[in-house]
PDB file of all heavy atoms in Angstrom:
ATOM      1  N   LYS A 150      37.876  50.298-101.748  1.00  0.00           N
ATOM      2  CA  LYS A 150      37.375  49.201-102.580  1.00  0.00           C
ATOM      3  C   LYS A 150      35.870  49.065-102.366  1.00  0.00           C
ATOM      4  O   LYS A 150      35.426  48.724-101.251  1.00  0.00           O
ATOM      5  CB  LYS A 150      38.089  47.894-102.205  1.00  0.00           C
ATOM      6  CG  LYS A 150      39.605  47.908-102.462  1.00  0.00           C
ATOM      7  CD  LYS A 150      40.217  46.536-102.301  1.00  0.00           C
ATOM      8  CE  LYS A 150      40.066  45.993-100.924  1.00  0.00           C
ATOM      9  NZ  LYS A 150      40.718  44.656-100.737  1.00  0.00           N
ATOM     10  N   SER A 157      20.074  39.953-106.695  1.00  0.00           N
ATOM     11  CA  SER A 157      19.669  38.544-106.854  1.00  0.00           C
ATOM     12  C   SER A 157      20.781  37.619-106.431  1.00  0.00           C
ATOM     13  O   SER A 157      20.541  36.536-105.878  1.00  0.00           O
ATOM     14  CB  SER A 157      19.288  38.293-108.303  1.00  0.00           C
ATOM     15  OG  SER A 157      18.120  39.033-108.662  1.00  0.00           O
ATOM     16  N   ASP A 265      29.053  63.058-129.856  1.00  0.00           N
ATOM     17  CA  ASP A 265      29.990  63.719-130.799  1.00  0.00           C
ATOM     18  C   ASP A 265      31.215  64.312-130.096  1.00  0.00           C
ATOM     19  O   ASP A 265      32.275  64.348-130.687  1.00  0.00           O
ATOM     20  CB  ASP A 265      29.234  64.831-131.540  1.00  0.00           C
ATOM     21  CG  ASP A 265      28.240  64.272-132.547  1.00  0.00           C
ATOM     22  OD1 ASP A 265      28.366  63.095-132.917  1.00  0.00           O
ATOM     23  OD2 ASP A 265      27.328  65.033-132.942  1.00  0.00           O
ATOM     24  N   LEU A 342      16.454  45.410-128.496  1.00  0.00           N
ATOM     25  CA  LEU A 342      17.016  44.425-129.395  1.00  0.00           C
ATOM     26  C   LEU A 342      15.881  43.782-130.240  1.00  0.00           C
ATOM     27  O   LEU A 342      16.107  43.449-131.424  1.00  0.00           O
ATOM     28  CB  LEU A 342      17.746  43.332-128.609  1.00  0.00           C
ATOM     29  CG  LEU A 342      19.059  43.739-127.971  1.00  0.00           C
ATOM     30  CD1 LEU A 342      19.597  42.630-127.093  1.00  0.00           C
ATOM     31  CD2 LEU A 342      20.083  44.091-129.070  1.00  0.00           C
TER      32      LEU A 342
END
Side-chain angles (χ1 to χ4, degrees):
K150 297 190 297 183
S157 295
D265 289 341
L342 288 173

